[in-house]
């Protein structure tokens, strides 16, 4: 799910965030689409998903809005959620990984535990459901062999892992879990489906939900083995949310280009709807970009992109075809850089694509300090959202 982590964004300009936005405007041409009148939308039958003690009740026209926040940004991410009431339906802190024995552990250091727990307590106090993410990460590195191969292909190891996930969710009072197991092989396809099916059954028996993160692809084959490892149709039958990672079309190891071009996003959603019930599809929307130089990209947030454009006195452009902002500069060493990133207009195009496709909702990857106009764009593009208060949580 993640772009690579960069350093802290402590050097925030003295100017206010409002002044920053005024100085950094991007306005691309966006096509407006028709929405059903509210009265007609309310006339739709209520769609209810009841799984034990966790209940999702919403009209067909309502969208689930998820804040996906990495542990290193959880303070800012929590503030974004709480300062935008009636915007988010749930929160997914990206914070669990594995140790070298396969045991589930926090990704953050022990010294950060009190800070993380304090932020989770703030969210609980505001009745925001928590569905944390578990990734196949060990000490900051994605892993495959032998941990994930054992989990997928050894029935005894798989059963213990499923039991450990369910125990974690129950012990911490989470509404469910989000699985982000990446870089699998095509030969893992049936085993991964079996793992997800077993986990879904176990969580549902305890009244919890299962979300699964899948690579975005416009065809079954996609572009890599990891795409073939994920069976959209089979996983869509058992998971409660299928979160499509609608980003990294261009990534750190590719050449420069838009992170999530709108044409690709529409193709991904079109294919996904042929495989997965539309109401389960949750589109991932990135709030970051990359600064490419020397054949490699470094992740940057919106604020870092702004700081670079200001430092090198370059005006970003807006690419209408991809609906994405970008700029180029030359650093003090004479190296040419190309930066593509996301801002209010680019994310609004994706929110509108999700609304037009009639899918279940979106999750936003709050990587760093973002263009705060994104939240008004979200509310405008997806006006009928699932309130967090409508989701009955464990113990309430």
């Amino acid at each position: 799910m993640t772009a690579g982590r960069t350093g802290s964004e402590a050097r925030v300009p003295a100017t206010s965030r409002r002044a920053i936005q005024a100085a950094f405007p991007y306005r691309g041409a966006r096509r407006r689409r028709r929405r059903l009148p509210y009265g007609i939308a309310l006339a739709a039958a209520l769609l209810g998903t009841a799984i034990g003690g966790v209940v999702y009740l919403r009209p067909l026209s309502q969208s689930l809005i998820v804040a996906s926040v990495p542990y290193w940004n959880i303070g800012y991410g929590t503030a974004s959620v709480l300062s935008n009431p009636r915007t988010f339906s749930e929160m997914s802190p990206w914070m669990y990984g594995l140790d070298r024995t396969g045991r589930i552990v926090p990704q953050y250091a022990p010294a950060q535990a009190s800070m993380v727990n304090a932020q989770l307590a703030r969210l609980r106090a505001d009745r925001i459901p928590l569905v944390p993410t578990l990734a196949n990460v060990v000490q900051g590195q994605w892993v495959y062999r032998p941990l994930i191969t054992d989990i997928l292909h050894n029935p005894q190891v798989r059963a213990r892992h499923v039991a450990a996930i369910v125990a974690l969710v129950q012990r911490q009072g989470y509404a469910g879990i989000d699985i982000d197991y990446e870089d699998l092989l095509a030969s893992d396809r049936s085993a991964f489906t079996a793992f997800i099916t077993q986990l879904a059954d176990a969580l549902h028996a305890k009244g919890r939900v299962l979300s699964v993160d899948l690579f975005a692809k416009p065809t079954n084959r996609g572009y890599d083995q990891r795409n073939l490892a994920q069976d959209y149709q089979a996983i869509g039958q058992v998971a409660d949310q299928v979160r499509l990672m609608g980003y990294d079309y261009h990534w750190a190891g590719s050449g420069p280009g838009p992170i999530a071009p709108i044409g690709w996003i529409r193709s991904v959603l079109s294919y996904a709807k042929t495989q997965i019930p539309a109401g389960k599809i949750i589109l991932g929307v990135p709030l970051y970009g990359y600064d490419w130089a020397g054949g490699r990209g470094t992740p940057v947030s919106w604020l870092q992109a702004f700081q670079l454009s200001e430092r090198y006195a370059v005006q970003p452009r807006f690419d209408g075809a991809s609906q994405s902002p970008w700029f180029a500069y030359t650093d003090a060493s004479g190296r040419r850089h190309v930066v593509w990133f996301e801002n209010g207009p680019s994310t609004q195009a994706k929110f509108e694509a999700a609304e037009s496709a009639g899918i279940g909702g979106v999750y936003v990857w709050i990587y760093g300090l973002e263009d705060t106009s994104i939240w008004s764009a979200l509310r405008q593009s997806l006006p009928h959202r699932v309130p967090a208060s409508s989701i009955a949580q464990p113990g309430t």
Side-chain angles (χ1 to χ4, degrees), residues 1 96-98 102 104 133-137 142-143 147-148 151-152 161 165 178-184 192 195-196 199 212-215 226 229-230 245:
M1 177 176 285
Y96 286 109
L98 305 171
I104 300 169
T133 299
L134 169 62
N136 56 322
V137 170
W142 294 96
V143 299
L147 293 182
I148 297 304
I151 288 169
L152 297 183
H161 190 56
I165 293 171
D178 173 54
I179 295 295
D180 183 20
Y181 285 4
E182 302 190 12
D183 295 336
L184 308 182
F192 183 61
F195 162 62
I196 292 299
L199 180 57
V212 183
D213 300 341
L214 302 183
F215 289 104
R226 54 186 167 180
Q230 299 174 336
M245 295 185 278

Side-chain angles (χ1 to χ4, degrees), residues 8 18 28 36 105 108 120 139 151 158 169 182 258 288 303 327 330 340 350 365 367 375 380 393:
S8 166
R18 183 175 299 175
L36 287 176
V105 294
Y108 49 83
L120 298 183
Q139 295 181 347
I151 288 169
R158 181 197 302 164
V169 169
E182 302 190 12
Y288 66 92
L303 179 60
F327 61 91
T330 301
W340 288 82
K350 298 170 193 40
W365 178 236
Y367 168 81
W375 308 132
Q380 177 184 345
Q393 300 181 58

